[in-house]
Amino acid sequence: MKKNILEKIFAGMIASSMLLTACGTSSPGSTPSAAVESTSATTSTEASEAEASAPASAESSEESSSTRLPDFVYEGDDEILSACCSFTVDELAKGYLEGDIIIPCPIIIAVDDSNPEDILCYGIFDLYTYDLKGDTLETVSGGVNPGCFHISKNESGKLEVVDFDFVESGSDYDESAKKVFGEYYEKFSEISADSKSTEEIRKNFIKDYVTANNLPITKYKDYGWDAIDLF
């Protein structure tokens, strides 16, 4: 089962209808001559100054590591949503460009719990990775993964995702979506087209994360777009 899930994860990543990637750029003004100058021998005075500043540098490094962003943990009471968030962060995020934090954005369309041993959760299971720059979370990568999670209780009685059916991409997208979502296809289409509502859900997940961890983060920003205030 684990092997099948991993295979589906990579297939789902390829089929994701959106992948956001923030491209890094080299620092302006960095030239070979500057690099040569920086490696020139130091005088005894410079060496003494460097030695004196070493403890401060170490302290600065420790402060930086101590402010590492905490992992995302769903804090609500919805067990199904909790299972979706955990699977998205632990499994679907594999292979995406890493950032300081992964924040999921599951958009639940419908839940069929008529069979408690195979609960079907239909939705659009978005995820985003971010780097923290000042007080802003800047998007590193992201993916939109529409489909159906199969959820059941594990040995400890906790709900978890055990399998999933993702919508295929390309020319098979519409036919695949109809097959996966069935009677919920029209609702899926409506929600997919409502970018304002889905963006608000994304914003709320970020706000909940920031609030739960008491973080001094006030905005988030996609590459090439203006930052969006959280509060």
Side-chain angles (χ1 to χ4, degrees), residues 8-201:
K8 285 190 175 183
I9 287 172
F10 290 117
M13 286 172 53
I14 295 173
S16 292
S17 58
M18 178 184 73
L19 179 63
L20 302 175
T21 305
C23 301
T25 57
S26 58
S27 301
S30 177
T31 63
S33 60
V36 172
E37 290 173 1
S38 68
T39 58
S40 60
T42 59
T43 63
S44 58
T45 302
E46 290 171 331
S48 299
E49 291 175 350
E51 184 177 352
S53 64
S57 298
E59 182 179 349
S60 176
S61 176
E62 289 177 2
E63 289 178 358
S64 177
S65 62
S66 67
T67 57
R68 186 183 73 86
L69 289 176
D71 293 336
F72 175 92
V73 177
Y74 173 71
E75 301 286 350
D77 299 324
D78 190 322
E79 291 185 87
I80 291 178
L81 193 54
S82 177
C84 292
C85 287
S86 295
F87 186 80
T88 300
V89 170
D90 296 339
E91 302 296 340
L92 293 188
K94 293 177 179 178
Y96 285 97
L97 292 177
E98 295 182 0
D100 293 333
I101 182 63
I102 303 166
I103 301 180
C105 176
I107 302 167
I108 307 301
I109 293 173
V111 174
D112 178 359
D113 58 0
S114 57
N115 180 1
E117 295 183 0
D118 185 20
I119 299 171
L120 304 178
C121 180
Y122 300 88
I124 305 170
F125 305 102
D126 297 358
L127 69 90
Y128 299 89
T129 65
Y130 303 90
D131 277 342
L132 179 60
K133 303 291 181 65
D135 65 347
T136 303
L137 288 176
E138 295 190 2
T139 304
V140 175
S141 64
V144 176
N145 305 285
C148 177
F149 280 166
H150 294 256
I151 301 173
S152 62
K153 289 185 178 181
N154 57 23
E155 294 180 353
S156 63
K158 183 179 180 180
L159 290 180
E160 66 177 6
V161 176
V162 295
D163 201 358
F164 57 88
D165 305 315
F166 274 126
V167 174
E168 297 179 16
S169 62
S171 60
D172 296 327
Y173 179 82
D174 197 54
E175 182 178 348
S176 176
K178 289 179 179 178
K179 180 179 179 181
V180 171
F181 284 95
E183 63 182 297
Y184 307 114
Y185 172 74
E186 292 299 329
K187 188 175 181 181
F188 160 68
S189 297
E190 292 174 4
I191 292 176
S192 295
D194 189 356
S195 59
K196 184 176 180 179
S197 295
T198 55
E199 187 64 27
E200 189 64 24
I201 294 173

